[in-house]
Amino acid sequence: MTTIVRNLQLVRDRITTACEAAGRDPASVQLLAVSKTFGADAVREALGGGQHAFGENYITEGVGKIIALRLPGSLAAPADEPNTALQWHCVGPIQSNKTRLVAEHFDWVQSIDRLKIAQRLSDQRPAGLPPLQVCLQVNIDGGANKSGAAPGEALALAREVAELPRLVLRGLMSIPDPAPDFAAACAVHENARRLFDLINASGELPAPLDTLSMGMTADLEAAIHAGSTMVRVGTAIFGMR
Ligand SMILES: *Cc1c(COP(=O)(O)O)cnc(C)c1O
């Protein structure tokens, strides 16, 4: 067994244990493997360990990997079948001049923090691809230098993004600063959970949000405790960057 495959198993065990502690079904939390800075070989290894969803922060780096792994014979899958083994999530900041690359290559975008970026992604999503699945990034702990919509603006942004024809609004994503302990981490993640519930309770969206993306290597237990449905883990799977 490779290190990455063993690490994946350890992370899945952490997710299961955290779900049990929180009285939740382990199947209610998805694992996104964040492969930024690691190469296509690392992704292939994780795929061999049963991991299919991958997150990338840097758009040109991510697209390079997506294309490399899409080439016939680049995966341990029949070379003559369309390669749908991998699902790619963009989790990093997106500048306007990168939206076309994102729209043409990724399956999900979790880092939408303003309407203009969402509009460009919708306009540029190729007709032959399914709609882009998106989350709004929310600056839940108010860090001054952080991207993400302010919590108070999230519902209005959600309403507008939900109307865009080539996007499907799935949920919220947050990246809080590291917290000193479990209770503090839970408190921040619970704020995101409350915002998620509030948006759904508003009844103002065409369909309820089903994805609350929060929790990373250091705080996935606290995020699951607070209601995360998707943890994004890099270091614990691929190693230090
Ligand atoms: C890098 C990154 C992660 C993974 O962080 P780790 O601490 O390595 O698990 C998750 N989400 C986002 C948005 C990231 O940029």
Side-chain angles (χ1 to χ4, degrees):
M1 206 190 289
T2 70
T3 305
I4 288 175
V5 172
R6 196 164 46 241
N7 286 346
L8 267 171
Q9 195 49 55
L10 293 171
V11 170
R12 290 192 191 114
D13 290 346
R14 279 177 66 185
I15 293 171
T16 302
T17 305
C19 284
E20 281 164 0
R24 298 183 55 194
D25 177 0
S28 67
V29 180
Q30 294 179 58
L31 172 59
L32 183 71
V34 180
S35 43
K36 65 180 179 215
T37 79
F38 293 91
D41 283 348
V43 172
R44 234 179 251 116
E45 228 176 286
L47 179 69
Q51 178 65 30
H52 294 263
F54 294 89
E56 290 287 335
N57 257 63
Y58 311 110
I59 288 151
T60 38
E61 178 200 320
V63 169
K65 262 175 261 182
I66 294 171
I67 291 172
L69 288 163
R70 199 183 279 146
L71 295 174
S74 67
L75 290 174
D80 54 347
E81 282 180 18
N83 177 6
T84 52
L86 301 178
Q87 185 185 74
W88 292 97
H89 295 230
C90 175
V91 298
I94 306 172
Q95 276 137 10
S96 294
N97 62 355
K98 293 283 169 55
T99 52
R100 183 173 296 280
L101 265 181
V102 173
E104 290 179 348
H105 295 282
F106 283 88
D107 304 296
W108 280 66
V109 176
Q110 299 198 9
S111 41
I112 289 183
D113 62 358
R114 55 197 193 278
L115 184 60
K116 180 183 162 199
I117 295 295
Q119 281 167 332
R120 290 177 64 93
L121 289 170
S122 182
D123 291 345
Q124 294 168 345
R125 183 67 168 172
L129 293 180
L132 201 49
Q133 310 295 301
V134 304
C135 294
L136 306 183
Q137 182 177 344
V138 179
N139 183 357
I140 200 67
D141 55 352
N145 303 318
K146 279 207 296 195
S147 33
E153 293 164 358
L155 175 59
L157 182 59
R159 244 190 259 119
E160 291 174 308
V161 169
E163 305 240 307
L164 296 172
R166 298 290 291 145
L167 306 186
V168 175
L169 178 62
R170 298 294 297 271
L172 304 181
M173 185 270 265
S174 67
I175 319 175
D177 285 341
D181 55 39
F182 183 79
C186 286
V188 175
H189 288 308
E190 271 154 17
N191 285 336
R193 166 66 188 273
R194 270 192 285 274
L195 180 61
F196 179 86
D197 289 344
L198 194 98
I199 290 174
N200 277 340
S202 77
E204 292 184 38
L205 299 182
L209 306 180
D210 64 6
T211 302
L212 182 54
S213 171
M214 59 190 192
M216 313 197 294
T217 291
D219 64 350
L220 72 87
E221 284 83 4
I224 288 171
H225 181 85
S228 171
T229 70
M230 188 185 291
V231 292
R232 309 177 310 268
V233 179
T235 309
I237 296 172
F238 297 107
M240 297 293 279
R241 291 182 292 271

